[in-house]
Amino acid sequence: MTMNQIPLVEVTDLKVYFKGSAGILKSRDIKAVDGVSFTISKGETLGIAGESGSGKSTLARSLIGINKPTSGSIAINGTQISSFKNSALRPIRKKLQMVFQDPYDSLDPRFTIFESISEGLQIRNLAKSEIKDEIANLLQTVKLPVSLASRYPKELSGGQRQRVAIARALATKPDLIICDEAVAALDVSVRAQILNLLQDIQQESGISYLFISHDLSTLRYISKNVAIMYAGKIVEIGSSDNVLTHPQHPYTKALISAVPNISGKRGTKIKSVGEPPDPANLPGGCAFNVRCHDVLPQCSIETPKLLLNLNDSKVACHATANNRNSDSSKGGELHV
Amino acid sequence: MKLDSTVNRIPTVVRVNSVSVGFPNRDGMDEVVHSISFSIDVAERVGLVGESGSGKSLTSRAIMQLVPKPGQITSGTVLLEERNISDSESKIDWRGSEIAIISQDPLTSLNPLVKIGVQISEMLIHHKGMQKSEARIESINLLKSVGLPNPKRTMNQYPNSLSGGMRQRVAIAIAISCKPKLLIADEPTTALDVTIQSQVLDLIESISTENQTAVLLISHDLAVVANFCSRIIVMYDGRIVETGPVNEILNFPKHPYTQALIASVPDLFDTSRERLQTIPGSPPIAGRINLGCSFAPRCTHASDICLTHIPKLEVSSDADQEVACHNPLKRVSS
Amino acid sequence: MSKNDKPISDFKNSFEEIESALESTNFRSRAWGSLKADKVAFASVAVVIFLILVAIFAPFFAPKDPLFQYIDGLSDVGAPQGLGRHFLLGADQSGRDVLSRLIYGARVSLTVGIVATALASFIGVMIGAVSGYLGGWVESFLMRLTDIVLAFPILLFCIALIAVTGPSTKNVVLVIAFAYWTYLARIIRSQVLSLKEREFVIAARSLGLTTPQIIRRHIIPHLIPTIIVYSTLGVATSILIEASLSFLGIGVPLPQASWGEMISEGQKYFQTAPWLLVAPGVTMIIAVLAFNLMGDWLTDLFDTSAMGVKR
């Protein structure tokens, strides 16, 4: 893929603010997503990691049009979708689909599997006989027996339901599927099945994923690039090998050291104190400064910009920026 | 697990002797936990790992003698320091004071209408017979010891004004208020963020070391257990399929299920991106009667005997490890 | 695709199998099956059907003219005749046949109950669903309106309205409907508020379904149990409100018979002719109970938790 080709998805300076609870004198906006930019190319996976309140789910919902962006732009194949009216958006919106966390809630319990999946097909105006064939194809794509089509979600296991949800998303022939914690609610042994299935589908159809997860190990496995979100902003973004093996931002470092690892004891331990901030009441400057070990005086005043780092990842941190300026050989790498 | 005759061994806190749990159905009982036996030593940290429906939570409830109705313990005994606590005549004053439990969501275990200070003091007054003022001071100390930034203020707050992590700390403070001998932690960090998870696990770890408290950590997450425990019990469909020291289990699993479970978890530091190994199918529905090993339909090593005979949990030849499998995996020297 | 991912079971691509399975779960067979199993439900549905048939075919069922004042309906001293061969449930103070009046009264009471409730449910569901789903100023406006109507005590409100419009069967129906829709609107709105945050509704939105499609396919079907419970309760309540209005003399105009009017008249003669009160009273209790029990059964039938479970 050449550099000047238009990326599949281009999100530029996206902001999603909510009206906060009105105080006596003023109401404070909740900045759920605050100036996020990224691109996803065809056939690629971008992973987004962050803790609760980091804005990763709001970001996903604003991409599929559930939450209206306050400002910024979302472009699919070069076409702006954030400026369209709802009805004009419909044909473009189906290019973006979503697979949700809770397979017990994402399928209408009153619909059979056949009916659920055919909802995704209805927008394609197929004939009745074509619908049946297409549903059989989709069920085979997600490796489910076609005989399940007449069942209700209640009769299926969690993994099977998640496969149905994937089939329903695929029914619209989307370019991008947003997986919002799509494997978090599944049993460990079933999780790997779904991850492999998603990869198989990607290899065959060249679909792109935006994979949202709090689990860095899963992101490492599934995604080529990864973005770390904190308090509505991306604090570090780059290839997952760079970001997860050589993290630059103190928050990324803390996050990685907090991940329990099956292959042995935790490595260098960087304990992060405190808790993720309340999105309605963020600290000034860099939102991480109250929990950070590397904090500088300017951190509580000035919000750091997302700057290109040495190893092609972008980091929003005053301390790493200073380190790089003063001593380019020392990147503050974390070897675990 | 180890024999009692061993000299100089660490004393046992809790011994579970072939406990079975069942739910009544029309024709009798659906047994969902099948004759489970294990023991936990003083200050030992044991991990109980299994997927949904494996019976891990019911096992912990069976220790507490709190199996949710209409389920009941159909056979077996639980000994707390050689005292039979599963006897219906035995007093229940050990509950909360000698064995305490931390649940997944403290919002459900804490009373939302009672101030946190009152909820902790209650325990101290009830179990330790403290005076109200004395209990208050002790409560503040407890809250301080679990790392709450402002214990005095927290005393007068209600549970829902705290964050999930802080609530879990309060739940821990209540659980350790009477210095229990065994702390059962049932998925204590599942609802928490990663950084908070590591904080809470560190806290439980330091409490365990300081107070010589044994911990039974119940989790679906092998990685959490791997970092926290010294011994692992793996459950599948209401049975223990493998148990042993953490390093043995993780590096040389003998049961195909344990091996597959480990291989199906992605590793953060694995750059190879090798395809994850998967276990075909889904976990079985609890309560079904199986003639043979209930993992056999999903097992790549299954042979004919697996379909007809349920394997027994037996000490394996080359390590302090027990496995219930007809075709246990050989230890490959690496 | 990979050796690890074994299919869970063999693929069977026969759609005949699917279609036959779909048939077996169809609604009618499920309804009939549960009716056969549940005696109380069976009885309540039978009573409701019977009452409706009686109301429709009142002239065939009624042994006498409900409005005719029979001379032999009164004794020599002018007291109404008791139960007997001529008058199965006795005669009333004017010598009219109580059984015939009950049968014709069923027409009025059931019509008022069912039509008023249907009207109220329709208004309530529409206002509740639209305000819950759309939110914003639409919701604020509709809900404040609901609050205003809700603020009046229902019976007093009806009395006031009837006083203005004048008593007639049509007005009684309209007045009850106008007072009763608010309850359903509030309940429906709160259910829609939680439904629209469910992931399957969000999934439907991302699939590109239009708002009316989503409301029709994914919202309304989930409201059916609620609508049915409140509607059957509503039929019972409407019958009672109509009775109260008649009791106060502002219901269905005389000499037309309705159960409420009969109770209202009957209680004056309770000590000398108790059947005048007991007959319509018991009938009404049976009718109200039957509607409520049928509501329970329908709730179970529509309950999602029971959906697709083969017994």
Side-chain angles (χ1 to χ4, degrees), chain B residues 215-237:
Chain B
V215 179
L216 180 65
L217 178 72
I218 294 154
S219 180
H220 67 281
D221 191 342
L222 265 173
V224 165
V225 171
N227 283 292
F228 184 84
C229 300
S230 55
R231 199 150 58 84
I232 294 186
I233 301 170
V234 184
M235 280 185 78
Y236 188 80
D237 195 29

Side-chain angles (χ1 to χ4, degrees), chain C residues 95-155:
Chain C
R96 293 171 298 195
D97 181 35
V98 170
L99 179 60
S100 300
R101 286 184 69 73
L102 264 185
I103 289 170
Y104 275 89
R107 269 189 169 180
V108 176
S109 292
L110 289 185
T111 310
V112 169
I114 292 170
V115 176
T117 307
L119 211 58
S121 301
F122 182 76
I123 304 172
V125 169
M126 284 304 134
I127 290 189
V130 167
S131 65
Y133 192 80
L134 294 182
W137 67 267
V138 179
E139 183 186 18
S140 304
F141 173 74
L142 289 175
M143 281 302 116
R144 290 302 80 75
L145 186 75
T146 312
D147 287 343
I148 291 169
V149 179
L150 204 58
F152 292 98
I154 190 160
L155 195 57

Side-chain angles (χ1 to χ4, degrees), chain A residues 50-52 143 157 160 186-193 195-197 199-200 214-224 240-241 244-245 251 254-266 269 271-276 291 336, chain B residues 50-53 163-166 169 192-199 201-202 205 220-224 226-229 246-247 250-251 257 261-271 273-283 298:
Chain A
E51 297 182 278
S52 53
K143 292 171 188 155
S157 71
Q160 289 175 324
L186 302 175
D187 270 318
V188 183
S189 71
V190 180
R191 223 176 262 185
Q193 292 173 8
L195 289 176
N196 284 349
L197 173 68
Q199 286 201 328
D200 290 342
H214 67 279
D215 181 6
L216 292 178
S217 310
T218 300
L219 287 182
R220 176 60 172 270
Y221 178 66
I222 194 98
S223 50
K224 179 171 177 256
S240 44
D241 284 341
L244 299 177
T245 322
Y251 176 64
L255 208 55
I256 289 171
S257 80
V259 174
N261 206 293
I262 196 159
S263 62
K265 291 290 164 189
R266 279 167 278 194
K269 205 144 179 200
K271 280 193 190 168
S272 82
V273 289
E275 306 210 341
R291 299 174 72 189
V336 197
Chain B
E51 298 182 272
S52 57
S163 69
M166 288 298 159
R169 285 172 191 270
L192 303 176
D193 279 321
V194 193
T195 54
I196 310 304
Q197 165 171 290
S198 83
Q199 291 171 8
L201 288 175
D202 287 347
E205 195 173 329
H220 67 281
D221 191 342
L222 265 173
V224 165
N227 283 292
F228 184 84
C229 300
V246 85
N247 289 328
L250 292 180
N251 297 322
Y257 174 66
L261 204 58
I262 295 166
S264 67
V265 179
D267 187 335
L268 179 57
F269 302 110
D270 178 16
T271 47
R273 272 211 191 78
E274 262 174 48
R275 195 176 168 81
L276 285 179
Q277 200 181 328
T278 60
I279 310 173
S282 358
R298 303 175 74 188

Side-chain angles (χ1 to χ4, degrees), chain A residues 61 90 93 97 100 102 105-106 108 110 119 122 132 140 143-144 146 150 154-155 168 200 204, chain C residues 1 11-13 15 19 21 198-200 202-203 206 208-210 213 217-218 221-222 302 305 308:
Chain A
R61 285 164 149 250
R90 201 158 282 131
R93 186 188 279 172
Q97 285 303 316
F100 297 86
D102 187 357
D105 198 45
S106 62
D108 192 326
R110 290 177 178 281
E119 281 213 318
Q122 102 178 12
K132 282 184 181 177
Q140 282 190 21
K143 292 171 188 155
L144 281 178
V146 178
S150 62
K154 192 185 163 61
E155 300 170 79
R168 179 181 58 187
D200 290 342
E204 277 180 22
Chain C
M1 290 179 194
F11 292 146
K12 282 186 187 152
N13 293 343
F15 265 103
E19 269 154 16
R198 294 281 292 274
E199 286 183 348
F200 61 79
I202 296 176
S206 74
L209 271 68
T210 60
Q213 272 178 324
R217 296 167 63 101
H218 292 289
H222 289 266
F302 282 111
S305 62

